Amino acid sequence: MALFGKRKKPSKLIEPGPQKVSLLKQPVLYKGLLLLATCLIIASLISPRIPSTVPSYKVGDVSDQNIKALQDLLIEDTASTTAKRLENEGKSSSIYDFDADASEEVRNRVGATFKHLRTILEDSAEKRSMDELRVIFGENLEIDVTDKHFKSFATNRFGSNVAEFITSLIDDPLSEKVVVDKAVLQSDRIKGITIRSVQTQEEFLLNDLSSIRDLEEMKAEVRKSAETKLKRLSRSLRSAVVTTAQQLIRPTLTVNKNETQARKLTARDSTNPVYFTLKKGEMIIREGDRVTEEIFLKLQTLNQMKQETNPLISTIGIFLLVLMIVSLFYTFFPGSIRRFNLKGKDYLLLSLVLVAMVMIINASTFLSGAIGKAFPIVPTDAFLYGTPFALGAILIAIVLNVELAAMFSVVLAIMSGILLENQLRFFVYPFIASIVAAQQVVLCKERSTLIRAGLITGLVNVLLILCFAIIEQNLFNFEALFHLSFGFLGGVLTGVIATGFVPLIEITFDYTTNIKLLEIADLNQPLLKDLRIKAPGTYQHSIMVGNLVDAAADAVGANSLLARVSAY
């Protein structure tokens, strides 16, 4: 047994016990919680802001503060709308019903009445008094007839020729447009009237009302016509015929009040409201100014918008939108490129940088309004162009890689467009600036590279702003000059801020960037000094190997700095 050495003691079996597992060490749960937290923070930052209170002023009050419009508004001018509706209602013409068959209807009624009375007189079995016959005569013709005139008709045995005398006098008058009194047309002389046929319901507008006659004119015309048509009749019969004919004259043109009123209401209700536009940032009232009718109307609209808008619903919608966008960034994009192997701290860094960039953009919008109030000569958009949009892409490109920085640029550009009122230019501007900045810091080996990247980004910002100004035909003015200046300043500011933030990220998250590798590769490192003194041969060998792998890495497009430091 000795030949084989000492017998080993049997090892004790360690029974597995319950182990504590950190939630953050579970990749799926960790990423899910981080995703939800990031989206909630971003949604709360970019959700629309509505003032909690709008002062309740009355017309004539003096404002104790400056009040601006927080968004573009269309405000109904109630006074102008009411005036326009009344105007259109007044332009609506009155509806008159025209009875084209009035002459024929009266002719038939006169003929039937005379025939009926003639039949009664000829029928010996009919025993009717003259009073009863007069009542029948009056009821059938709907007129009042005197005893004297009725006796004249009875004396002539209600002959058909007498009926023809009456109808000959009323045929022409009842064929014309006759109203009770022309005075009712005074209010319609300018706009005309709409005449609608009772029989066919066809309508036409009559502007010239001179052709319309009234009852008195028609009665006078009947009397004048009788002088030529009835000159052979006896005085008593002629008087009875003329009086009866005059009583049978009735209006052929009558106003339809119900239809007229209905069309006036339709004309009023179909009138489009009159609006005036209130632009975002436009001053509604300044401190010390008196509230006018128009200002009161604008303040009422702001109050109504506050009551009708629910910020919680908007925030939920924005959260869902942000969740979809960031989910693609966290899951689809990295998973589609095999060389991405992101760790927990990588996802945390991406979330923090994205939230920080949204906060910077949000702060820029606030500061632009505040500084714009202090310096009215500087346009508000100029401060927005000065925002360091490319800062996040530079940090991601240096600490992680340029591909992730490009994906980050897309997400940030979408967030920027949403936050800055869905303007296309504030999607294009951050996106291109971020892509250019990230490309400039690929394999960054000097801190001065960050400053150079900021300068190049500033120049690209200037070119983008020039494009926007040309599209809007707003190039040759002071506003464009401010935009260009702040755009270049925003690029420079990006490089300066990135120079200070990269070391903080390296220390906080324990990342080794190319800049950190440069510090490690310094030959004055204490360890390399000791190696040079104690083992000079090994030191020279390490330097030569480092130079060889540096050249090899450059030849194949790899990170030569990382290869050289690893060789040391």
Side-chain angles (χ1 to χ4, degrees):
M1 297 295 292
L3 295 174
F4 297 95
K6 295 182 180 180
R7 178 183 293 180
K8 295 182 179 180
K9 296 182 180 180
S11 60
K12 295 182 179 180
L13 295 175
I14 301 176
E15 296 183 0
Q19 299 180 358
K20 295 182 179 179
V21 180
S22 174
L23 291 177
L24 296 183
K25 290 183 179 179
Q26 300 182 25
V28 176
L29 182 59
Y30 172 69
K31 288 194 290 185
L33 291 175
L34 187 61
L35 174 64
L36 290 176
T38 303
C39 294
L40 281 173
I41 295 173
I42 294 176
S44 64
L45 289 173
I46 66 179
S47 60
R49 297 288 186 268
I50 298 177
S52 57
T53 57
V54 178
S56 298
Y57 293 125
K58 297 179 181 179
V59 177
D61 290 347
V62 177
S63 174
D64 58 355
Q65 59 181 288
N66 293 332
I67 302 177
K68 284 185 176 182
L70 299 179
Q71 63 184 53
D72 291 347
L73 295 174
L74 276 180
I75 301 177
E76 182 181 350
D77 188 346
T78 53
S80 300
T81 300
T82 301
K84 187 176 180 181
R85 286 175 176 171
L86 291 176
E87 179 184 356
N88 289 341
E89 181 181 348
K91 289 180 179 179
S92 179
S93 59
S94 300
I95 308 299
Y96 280 78
D97 291 331
F98 176 61
D99 187 2
D101 294 339
S103 175
E104 183 179 356
E105 189 270 332
V106 173
R107 169 184 283 275
N108 293 335
R109 191 146 45 87
V110 170
T113 301
F114 272 72
K115 182 178 181 181
H116 178 56
L117 293 176
R118 190 165 56 248
T119 302
I120 294 175
L121 290 179
E122 293 174 353
D123 189 357
S124 59
E126 287 281 350
K127 301 295 183 182
R128 301 282 186 97
S129 64
M130 293 299 292
D131 290 337
E132 291 176 336
L133 294 178
R134 187 164 63 86
V135 170
I136 294 174
F137 185 86
E139 289 179 351
N140 288 350
L141 296 181
E142 299 177 356
I143 62 174
D144 292 329
V145 61
T146 62
D147 291 340
K148 179 181 178 182
H149 293 159
F150 184 72
K151 287 180 180 180
S152 296
F153 293 139
T155 302
N156 287 274
R157 309 290 294 178
F158 298 103
S160 59
N161 59 333
V162 177
E164 285 295 328
F165 291 145
I166 296 174
T167 55
S168 66
L169 295 178
I170 64 175
D171 278 344
D172 291 339
L174 290 180
S175 299
E176 297 187 29
K177 300 175 182 63
V178 182
V179 295
V180 176
D181 190 352
K182 283 187 175 182
V184 300
L185 300 174
Q186 289 298 326
S187 60
D188 297 315
R189 289 195 176 277
I190 296 177
K191 59 186 177 183
I193 63 174
T194 298
I195 297 179
R196 182 174 65 177
S197 172
V198 174
Q199 287 74 31
T200 63
Q201 298 298 305
E202 294 180 355
E203 299 181 2
F204 66 93
L205 180 64
L206 182 65
N207 291 313
D208 185 8
L209 306 184
S210 60
S211 60
I212 298 178
R213 317 288 291 276
D214 61 17
L215 289 179
E216 293 302 321
E217 289 178 336
M218 289 296 97
K219 289 179 180 180
E221 187 172 321
V222 167
R223 188 180 303 110
K224 184 177 180 180
S225 177
E227 292 178 358
T228 57
K229 292 182 179 181
L230 307 179
K231 60 182 179 179
R232 295 184 179 181
L233 299 181
S234 62
R235 176 181 288 183
S236 60
L237 182 57
R238 184 168 64 242
S239 176
V241 170
V242 171
T243 303
T244 302
Q246 288 178 332
Q247 291 189 63
L248 289 172
I249 298 295
R250 60 181 179 83
T252 59
L253 203 60
T254 55
V255 63
N256 190 327
K257 293 183 178 180
N258 292 335
E259 184 65 20
T260 299
Q261 187 63 24
R263 296 199 182 188
K264 287 182 180 294
L265 290 176
T266 301
R268 182 176 64 185
D269 295 340
S270 61
T271 302
N272 294 325
V274 178
Y275 292 98
F276 57 85
T277 304
L278 192 62
K279 292 292 185 181
K280 180 182 179 181
E282 181 179 343
M283 185 68 70
I284 296 177
I285 187 171
R286 298 184 182 275
E287 181 180 357
D289 290 349
R290 194 171 295 276
V291 178
T292 62
E293 289 282 355
E294 182 177 340
I295 293 175
F296 178 72
L297 187 62
K298 294 177 180 179
L299 294 177
Q300 274 189 324
T301 303
L302 284 181
N303 273 318
Q304 184 178 2
M305 181 189 70
K306 173 181 174 294
Q307 295 171 1
E308 293 179 353
T309 305
N310 189 343
L312 179 60
I313 296 177
S314 300
T315 303
I316 292 174
I318 292 175
F319 168 75
L320 295 175
L321 178 62
V322 172
L323 182 63
M324 293 176 62
I325 297 170
V326 179
S327 296
L328 291 176
F329 179 51
Y330 276 1
T331 58
F332 175 75
F333 289 143
S336 62
I337 302 177
R338 293 183 178 180
R339 76 185 193 87
F340 284 179
N341 185 20
L342 300 182
K343 300 177 182 179
K345 68 176 183 179
D346 299 332
Y347 285 105
L348 180 59
L349 176 65
L350 290 171
S351 294
L352 290 177
V353 173
L354 182 59
V355 171
M357 288 305 303
V358 173
M359 292 178 67
I360 290 174
I361 298 172
N362 204 5
S364 297
T365 59
F366 174 77
L367 292 176
S368 64
I371 299 175
K373 185 184 300 184
F375 303 97
I377 191 174
V378 182
T380 304
D381 286 350
F383 298 102
L384 297 179
Y385 285 126
T387 305
F389 289 106
L391 175 61
I394 284 183
L395 296 178
I396 299 300
I398 291 177
V399 176
L400 296 176
N401 53 63
V402 70
E403 291 87 351
L404 269 178
M407 299 174 189
F408 180 89
S409 302
V410 176
V411 175
L412 181 65
I414 296 174
M415 301 299 174
S416 175
I418 296 173
L419 186 58
L420 300 176
E421 303 173 7
N422 302 320
Q423 298 186 59
L424 178 61
R425 57 177 174 166
F426 284 115
F427 170 84
V428 176
Y429 183 78
F431 174 68
I432 295 181
S434 298
I435 292 293
V436 170
Q439 190 272 336
Q440 292 300 316
V441 296
V442 175
L443 301 179
C444 173
K445 297 180 181 180
E446 299 177 355
R447 295 195 184 274
S448 61
T449 304
L450 298 175
I451 303 299
R452 185 174 66 252
L455 292 173
I456 295 175
T457 303
L459 293 176
V460 171
N461 289 347
V462 169
L463 293 176
L464 287 172
I465 294 171
L466 282 174
C467 292
F468 297 149
I470 293 173
I471 292 172
E472 297 173 358
Q473 300 182 7
N474 191 24
L475 181 59
F476 302 103
N477 53 36
F478 284 106
E479 183 176 339
L481 181 61
F482 279 114
H483 288 172
L484 295 172
S485 302
F486 276 87
F488 182 75
L489 180 63
V492 175
L493 191 62
T494 298
V496 173
I497 297 176
T499 303
F501 268 93
V502 168
L504 293 178
I505 294 176
E506 290 174 345
I507 296 172
T508 304
F509 292 89
D510 194 22
Y511 280 110
T512 302
T513 64
N514 286 343
I515 298 176
K516 183 67 174 178
L517 290 175
L518 282 174
E519 296 175 355
I520 297 174
D522 186 3
L523 297 180
N524 292 320
Q525 290 283 347
L527 184 62
L528 291 178
K529 283 184 177 180
D530 290 344
L531 181 64
R532 187 167 57 241
I533 294 172
K534 297 179 180 179
T538 304
Y539 174 81
Q540 292 297 330
H541 179 267
S542 298
I543 296 298
M544 292 180 64
V545 171
N547 292 333
L548 288 173
V549 297
D550 187 296
D554 280 337
V556 298
N559 190 339
S560 59
L561 181 59
L562 177 60
R564 179 157 56 89
V565 172
S566 300
Y568 290 166

